[in-house]
C-alpha cells in the first residue's frame, strides 16, 4: 500500500516539475535551474513550490526527506 501512495505522489508532478526537482536535489538553485532549462528563476521557483505542495512538504528539509523516501536520492 505504501508503494502505491508513493508512486501516485510522483505521478502528480508534471515533467517540468520533476526535472526541476531532480536538479534541485543535486544542489542547483532556482536561478541555476532556470538558466539550464531556459526559463526565469521565478518560473523554476514556482515549479519547486508546486512540487512541495503536491508532495505535501512544507520546506526544503521535508522535500529532501520525502525524496529519500521515494527513492529519488540515497
Amino acid at each position: 500500500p505504501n508503494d502505491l501512495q508513493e508512486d501516485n505522489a510522483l505521478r502528480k508532478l508534471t515533467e517540468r516539475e520533476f526535472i526541476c526537482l531532480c536538479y534541485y536535489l543535486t544542489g542547483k538553485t532556482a536561478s541555476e535551474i532556470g538558466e539550464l532549462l531556459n526559463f526565469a528563476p521565478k518560473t523554476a521557483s514556482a515549479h519547486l513550490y508546486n512540487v512541495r505542495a503536491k508532495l505535501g512538504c512544507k520546506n526544503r528539509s521535508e522535500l529532501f526527506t520525502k525524496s529519500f523516501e521515494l527513492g529519488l536520492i540515497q
Side-chain angles (χ1 to χ4, degrees):
N2 233 3
D3 290 338
L4 290 176
Q5 289 173 344
E6 293 170 355
D7 186 45
N8 287 334
L10 288 177
R11 288 179 189 257
K12 292 179 187 176
L13 303 181
T14 66
E15 183 178 352
R16 286 270 171 115
E17 290 168 347
F18 186 75
I19 291 169
C20 287
L21 173 61
C22 290
Y23 277 124
Y24 191 66
L25 294 174
T26 66
K28 301 281 187 225
T29 65
S31 233
E32 292 169 327
I33 294 168
E35 190 175 314
L36 286 167
L37 300 176
N38 295 318
F39 49 69
K42 284 188 178 188
T43 303
S45 292
H47 285 313
L48 292 170
Y49 175 85
N50 291 337
V51 168
R52 283 193 303 275
K54 289 179 180 181
L55 296 181
C57 301
K58 295 177 189 164
N59 54 44
R60 178 186 171 150
S61 178
E62 286 184 12
L63 183 59
F64 273 81
T65 300
K66 184 70 168 184
S67 297
F68 177 79
E69 290 169 358
L70 294 172
L72 296 176
I73 55 176
Q74 295 182 4

